[in-house]
Amino acid sequence: MIPIPTDAQGMKLYLIKLGEISLKGLNRSFFEKKLKNNIKLKIHPHKSLLLREKGRFYLYVDDTCPDEIVEKTLKTTFGITGFSRAMVCGKAWEDIISTTNKIISIPPFVEGNLSQNAILAYDSPATCKYRTFKVEARRADKSFPKTSYQIEAELGGVVLERIPSLKVDVKRPDITLNVEVRENVYIYSSPIPGPGGLPVGCAGRGLLLLSGGIDSPVAGYRMARRGLKQECLYFHAYPYTSDMALQKVQDLAKIISPYMMGTTLHVVNFTEAELWIKNHSKEEENTLMMRACMMQVANRIAKNIDAEAIVTGEALGQVASQTLQAMAFTNSMSSLPVLRPLVGMDKEEIIETARRIGTYETSILPYDDCCVIFSPKHPLVRPDSETERNAFNDMNIDEVLDKCVSKVKTYEISYKTGISSL
Ligand code: ATP
Ligand code: MG
């Protein structure tokens, strides 16, 4: 049982639902520790306290921490399937009624975001965006003098008095007010969805090839959702690609950084390699040779940062370099596994995710990527891996690539970027 912590005075409470983590067996505590740590890091420097019971977390946050920081934290931290602002009180009936009145006076019960900190004055009429509701009571403490049904009926009356526009619907309510009678009484409304997945940092490290396009930020988001910690690598071909293109990639990295628990952006100047490829390979092979070089550079950088996989935004059949044969060739140029989380996704689905995570508008800004500028009119679509590997070796580009790696520039991007800039 969770007692109210003595130092929880002046703290707000959130109940957090854990998804896949609660299905874990013996190593569950490893995943939970990671998640706790990730939440605390994001809330810091505000004080927080996290307790766990029965597959959920009780998060107490210092009252001075703005609601939007907590909300953004919980919406961007993988491992969380949902969260509710909750209130806790003793078991005296008048306490339960006054706490019910408080919780139905804040979002999501009333119009607005959870972020609207103010609890509305009791005598101002509340406007609710929902049409129907129900109260659901659970009595872990069987000695409590009212039955679940009585609690539901009486507190339902409290809700109706305060928000007369609502109607009761016990089968499919728009919103539910949960009341749990345990050692204390916890009152909370339907959870706001979290991002799901597994906590970042529990599935090793990867290197995301981040271009300025729509796909690769979504690929990074998807792998972070499976717990992969990632650094990013961008191939810049200045002056063929402008500083605006680099700025765009930095902006994208900032947008996805809260999901990734922060990241490091490595920027490689790829111009010399691009020109070398153009002068030392057949035009129809240019794209393949460029992808081969990217893989080689990515492998070297991955080794330097202890990453165990390369992540790309490729999807089967999307462009000429994303056929099975082309992917087989790029795979053969990488000694680390190449993860392609979007491989089976339609562009429409990828765009939908990009919009949801907030990268789409930045991705469609019109600054060309190096691939576009140097791509041939008629690229090879079904390359033979061995032939292309020979073509790659014939280019003798190793030294140029070494130089690229030695001149890499790095930018640290904090997970706070997307959170505190609200
Ligand atoms: P995106 O929308 O991610 O740019 P795309 O459809 O334009 O993808 P390609 O240009 O073939 O496809 O690139 C495929 C993948 O290769 C990208 O998703 C990304 O992971 C990587 N990539 C391409 N260009 C770059 C670059 N300049 N820097 C880093 N990675 C890149
Ligand atoms: Mg691209």
Side-chain angles (χ1 to χ4, degrees), residues 210-216 291 318 322 369-372:
L210 182 65
S211 70
I214 296 168
D215 306 325
S216 45
R291 310 232 23 106
Q318 202 187 78
Q322 296 174 22
D369 187 35
C370 56
C371 305
V372 180

Side-chain angles (χ1 to χ4, degrees), residues 48-104:
S48 64
L49 207 69
L50 263 156
L51 307 166
R52 180 193 161 271
E53 201 206 43
K54 291 202 168 69
R56 59 156 95 120
F57 280 172
Y58 292 72
L59 168 67
Y60 288 89
V61 183
D62 207 273
D63 232 2
T64 56
C65 178
D67 283 359
E68 50 265 73
I69 294 208
V70 185
E71 196 175 336
K72 180 103 191 202
T73 292
L74 301 180
K75 279 184 172 170
T76 58
T77 306
F78 291 121
I80 296 172
T81 51
F83 62 94
S84 314
R85 176 79 186 270
M87 288 189 188
V88 56
C89 65
K91 286 188 232 179
W93 189 242
E94 54 280 17
D95 282 352
I96 297 176
I97 290 183
S98 87
T99 309
T100 300
N101 261 312
K102 277 187 202 154
I103 201 128
I104 61 177

